[in-house]
């Protein structure tokens, strides 16, 4: 059983910062990738940022967050963090942690429960 636990969401004013964290626990052989997605009301879930290590380290950001958000991973502790600066009202969404986890021989996808981020004055 693999579990993802998220923390760090909340209400912040425009221009403010928040840090999201996600920890992965369970019977894990390795984690090939971790990342954050978000879903705003009435919109589809979209990739915000991801960090993978299948062939070297690859970091991907959505164009809308480049230069404002930074993803990092603590591989020793199976944690991924998303530092969000210069937040804008359009960043308001439920943010979901995602992980590609190798259990025994198969790679499976797991999601966190979601954490609300609201940017409003």
């Amino acid at each position: 059983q693999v579990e993802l636990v998220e923390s760090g969401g909340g209400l912040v004013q425009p221009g403010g910062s928040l840090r999201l964290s996600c920890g992965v626990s369970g019977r894990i052989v390795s984690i090939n990738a971790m990342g954050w997605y978000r879903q705003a009301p009435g919109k589809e879930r979209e990739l915000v940022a991801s960090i993978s290590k299948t062939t070297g380290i690859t970091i991907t950001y959505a164009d809308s967050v480049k230069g404002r958000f930074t993803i990092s991973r603590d591989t020793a502790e199976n944690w991924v963090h998303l530092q969000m600066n210069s937040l804008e009202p359009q960043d308001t969404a439920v943010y979901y942690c995602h992980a590609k986890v190798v259990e025994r021989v198969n790679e499976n996808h797991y999601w966190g429960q979601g954490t609300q981020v609201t940017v409003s004055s």
Side-chain angles (χ1 to χ4, degrees):
Q1 185 75 14
V2 174
E3 184 178 16
L4 276 61
V5 178
E6 304 157 346
S7 63
L11 172 64
V12 65
Q13 293 186 342
S17 298
L18 283 175
R19 179 178 170 89
L20 305 182
S21 295
C22 173
V24 182
S25 62
R27 290 177 172 253
I28 299 168
V29 173
S30 63
I31 301 175
N32 287 339
M34 296 186 74
W36 292 92
Y37 288 70
R38 68 186 180 186
Q39 188 166 18
K43 295 187 177 181
E44 294 185 352
R45 190 173 297 189
E46 63 175 358
L47 174 68
V48 177
S50 68
I51 182 167
S52 65
K53 65 170 187 69
T54 48
T55 55
I57 303 295
T58 301
I59 295 177
T60 302
Y61 292 102
D63 288 343
S64 60
V65 307
K66 285 179 180 177
R68 300 187 298 122
F69 291 9
T70 302
I71 189 170
S72 61
R73 181 176 165 186
D74 181 348
T75 55
E77 300 293 335
N78 292 335
W79 285 85
V80 66
H81 310 281
L82 185 68
Q83 179 65 41
M84 305 185 293
N85 298 328
S86 303
L87 283 160
E88 302 169 353
Q90 51 265 42
D91 294 317
T92 296
V94 177
Y95 284 68
Y96 296 91
C97 179
H98 172 258
K100 296 181 182 179
V101 177
V102 177
E103 299 172 85
R104 295 189 180 181
V105 296
N106 295 323
E107 180 186 88
N108 297 310
H109 294 233
Y110 289 92
W111 294 90
Q113 78 280 5
T115 185
Q116 177 70 47
V117 171
T118 302
V119 185
S120 175
S121 56

